[in-house]
Amino acid sequence: MLHLEGLTLERDGATGPLRVLQGLDLRLADGERLALVGGNGSGKSSLLRHLAEPGVVVNRRVGYLCQDPDEQLVAATVGGEVTLGCPEDDPEPVLADVGLSGLAGVDSRLLSAGQKQRLQLAVVLAQSPDLLLLDEPGSLQDDEQAVWLRERLAGFPGALIWATQSREEARWCGRTLALVEGRPVADGPTDQVLNGPEVRGLWRSPAGDGVIRPSGDLLASLTSVACRFHRGGIEGIDLQLRAGERVGLVGPNGCGKSTLLAVLAGLRAPDGGQVQVADRRLYRGRRQDLDHGLVSLAPQFPEYLFATGSVTAEARLSGVDPALALVAAGLSPEAAGQSPHQFSGGQRRRLALALMLTASRPLVLLDEPTAALDAEGRQAVADQVNALPADTAVVIAAHDREFLRACGCRLLAVTSAGLVAIADGEPAEG
């Protein structure tokens, strides 16, 4: 299927070529499943993008699912994505296969990130590829859908390369290749590689005191908030958020976690109810309310917010010391002059979160901040959250319960009928 010898890849940098892969030998047989593991910036995505280029894998059909599903959205509707080029086809059987039944006429951009990932998986599988390249396909899935993903791919007859930060996903593959700073350091049976010294640190859980902090005065509130979605919605959302409080929003893909963060931020007027932040009632004109200066929101892909051509310029735009931002993002001082878009997906996310968390706002909202981050990145973000001023309130929407525990969050499940408090260890997904 595939034979690489001594593969070296470089990309342009601010001060010259940047080497992202070096000395990679790889053979892949028909039907083989290979897990690709390594920290952020190790070269996993660069390898998959290279293999997806025309002519690299000869005489085989290659399907590629990138880390950010928005990069692959083309059509105006969900149904249009799966019938692109064949509008006479019925999209419903394909959508039903990935849990998106009944959404054919919906704008693809309105799906949750996890739903977008499954939509793109449907598009790629419909091409009947001989080689399937998957870049963190489970990073935005809830627990139930992550299991479904592995079960769905169990019947895939072709070869498969799965880049992942998940030990469970890697174990699903019979063989694992580990990369460190662009170099292969281990390649062999999965159990042997995963327990080896080269990658053992990838599976650390984020550490934190796990203490639910004492709360102060009332900072924000949601009262009888209702929001309609493309399929269903939420209503009766009541939340009182006090200064210094940490709240984790959990629940399955598409339940409304991201929508609630947008409502709290002033980005999305609810269809009913009232929103109060500090002494300001939002949405009096039922429009976006963005000039209050009270909330920082990091969306699921905060790197979309980069607006300049260098790390230094981004830091100054945010009013942050560039050196502090680089340290928090785990980047070297030499990266100050580079464009943020030249880093790996995980490195871009860490940088964007570092810039946002350093800005001083009384309410901080984070949407899936650890998606596709390695253990070092998850720990760094947890440390930044725990270092926020004691009176800063934080709301985090995430499937990553270990991270929420490390940040001392009380957990609330988002349901169609309101928020439900859940005890640690109680299932909340599905």
Side-chain angles (χ1 to χ4, degrees):
M1 168 67 73
L2 177 66
H3 182 196
L4 303 175
E5 284 190 2
L7 176 67
T8 295
L9 292 178
E10 293 181 341
R11 63 169 179 249
D12 292 334
T15 58
L18 297 174
R19 184 157 293 179
V20 294
L21 282 173
Q22 184 171 354
L24 177 63
D25 297 332
L26 177 62
R27 289 177 179 267
L28 191 72
D30 285 328
E32 191 171 9
R33 295 174 181 172
L34 175 69
L36 191 60
V37 302
N40 296 138
S42 61
K44 303 187 302 297
S45 295
S46 295
L47 175 58
L48 294 187
R49 287 183 181 274
H50 173 70
L51 295 178
E53 293 177 1
V56 174
V57 180
V58 182
N59 298 324
R60 300 299 178 104
R61 187 186 296 270
V62 178
Y64 170 55
L65 188 70
C66 67
Q67 191 175 121
D68 179 357
D70 284 298
E71 288 187 23
Q72 293 181 285
L73 292 178
V74 176
T77 65
V78 172
E81 285 291 326
V82 298
T83 60
L84 193 66
C86 302
E88 68 280 0
D89 290 351
D90 179 10
E92 190 56 33
V94 177
L95 295 177
D97 181 47
V98 294
L100 300 177
S101 181
L103 300 181
V106 172
D107 186 332
S108 305
R109 296 169 298 177
L110 299 180
L111 299 180
S112 73
Q115 290 171 325
K116 290 176 185 176
Q117 277 189 319
R118 299 203 304 275
L119 172 61
Q120 292 306 328
L121 178 64
V123 172
V124 171
L125 290 177
Q127 302 168 5
S128 300
D130 303 304
L131 172 62
L132 186 58
L133 307 173
L134 303 171
D135 196 352
E136 302 282 358
S139 62
L140 296 167
Q141 301 300 320
D142 59 49
D143 292 345
E144 183 177 314
Q145 291 297 338
V147 173
W148 170 89
L149 178 65
R150 297 193 290 273
E151 292 175 346
R152 174 63 182 82
L153 292 173
F156 176 68
L160 179 150
I161 302 179
W162 188 325
T164 180
Q165 300 289 350
S166 164
R167 193 181 184 98
E168 289 72 24
E169 290 173 354
R171 280 176 170 161
W172 183 84
C173 302
R175 174 183 162 205
T176 293
L177 168 64
L179 300 176
V180 173
E181 297 182 347
R183 295 177 179 272
V185 295
D187 184 358
T190 291
D191 287 342
Q192 176 182 321
V193 173
L194 295 189
N195 291 317
E198 301 89 354
V199 299
R200 196 171 294 150
L202 290 175
W203 322 118
R204 296 192 311 271
S205 298
D209 55 27
V211 175
I212 297 179
R213 289 155 176 76
S215 55
D217 296 334
L218 184 66
L219 175 64
S221 65
L222 302 176
T223 305
S224 300
V225 164
C227 298
R228 291 189 294 272
F229 304 154
H230 43 76
R231 182 169 62 184
I234 51 178
E235 60 182 351
I237 301 294
D238 294 313
L239 174 65
Q240 289 195 329
L241 189 65
R242 297 187 174 276
E245 194 170 10
R246 306 285 173 83
V247 171
L249 299 179
V250 299
N253 296 130
C255 70
K257 301 187 299 295
S258 298
T259 298
L260 283 181
L261 293 186
V263 168
L264 272 170
L267 280 170
R268 202 267 200 204
D271 298 302
Q274 294 183 3
V275 182
Q276 185 90 12
V277 179
D279 58 355
R280 177 162 175 161
R281 180 178 167 187
L282 303 186
Y283 309 113
R284 287 184 179 274
R286 311 309 297 173
R287 297 185 299 273
Q288 287 184 335
D289 203 340
L290 302 176
D291 63 348
H292 46 73
L294 299 168
V295 183
S296 290
L297 169 64
Q300 285 182 349
F301 295 95
E303 54 270 25
Y304 287 170
L305 303 180
F306 290 141
T308 70
S310 73
V311 174
T312 296
E314 286 292 336
R316 288 174 177 166
L317 186 65
S318 301
V320 175
D321 183 339
L324 293 178
L326 287 168
V327 170
L331 298 171
S332 67
E334 290 75 22
Q338 293 182 25
S339 167
H341 299 286
Q342 292 179 331
F343 304 125
S344 74
Q347 290 172 324
R348 291 196 301 270
R349 186 154 304 133
R350 284 185 62 176
L351 175 61
L353 289 168
L355 293 171
M356 194 278 294
L357 288 168
T358 308
S360 179
R361 297 283 178 90
L363 176 56
V364 171
L365 310 175
L366 306 177
D367 198 353
E368 296 290 356
T370 61
L373 289 186
D374 58 18
E376 181 181 343
R378 293 169 72 208
Q379 184 64 61
V381 177
D383 290 344
Q384 288 179 270
V385 171
N386 290 330
L388 288 170
D391 59 351
T392 300
V394 183
V395 182
I396 307 172
H399 301 301
D400 187 347
R401 294 237 199 146
E402 290 182 335
F403 175 77
L404 295 177
R405 283 195 293 269
C407 294
C409 294
R410 66 181 177 99
L411 303 185
L412 298 175
V414 180
T415 74
S416 59
L419 299 178
V420 178
I422 61 175
D424 192 24
E426 181 180 343
E429 312 290 13

